[in-house]
Amino acid sequence: MDIELVFKIAAIGIIVAVLNQLLIRSGREDQAMLTTLAGLIVVLYMLVEVIANLFDTIKTAFNL
């Protein structure tokens, strides 16, 4: 696993947290929830590729 991925996920988390707090304080709770959901989807999309590579490595290691 590359350390860049960890930093990207951390950066997305920080940005989403700041946006979430700004939107909640301005009274836009619905948009804050959608922002959090969008951040989660982006991170999961990034992790899908890593998980696919993991499964490929396991298949190669066990000759499946």
Side-chain angles (χ1 to χ4, degrees):
M1 188 164 100
D2 197 19
I3 194 73
E4 277 183 30
L5 181 65
V6 175
F7 287 141
K8 286 179 184 178
I9 292 172
I12 290 171
I14 291 170
I15 291 169
V16 167
V18 169
L19 285 174
N20 191 10
Q21 288 300 313
L22 287 174
L23 289 169
I24 287 175
R25 292 193 191 273
S26 66
R28 300 178 179 174
E29 288 83 12
D30 294 337
Q31 290 177 352
M33 183 194 62
L34 290 176
T35 303
T36 304
L37 185 61
L40 178 66
I41 290 170
V42 168
V43 169
L44 288 176
Y45 183 74
M46 291 169 52
L47 289 177
V48 164
E49 184 178 336
V50 174
I51 292 170
N53 288 338
L54 173 66
F55 284 140
D56 287 339
T57 304
I58 290 172
K59 283 168 81 174
T60 304
F62 292 111
N63 295 323
L64 297 176

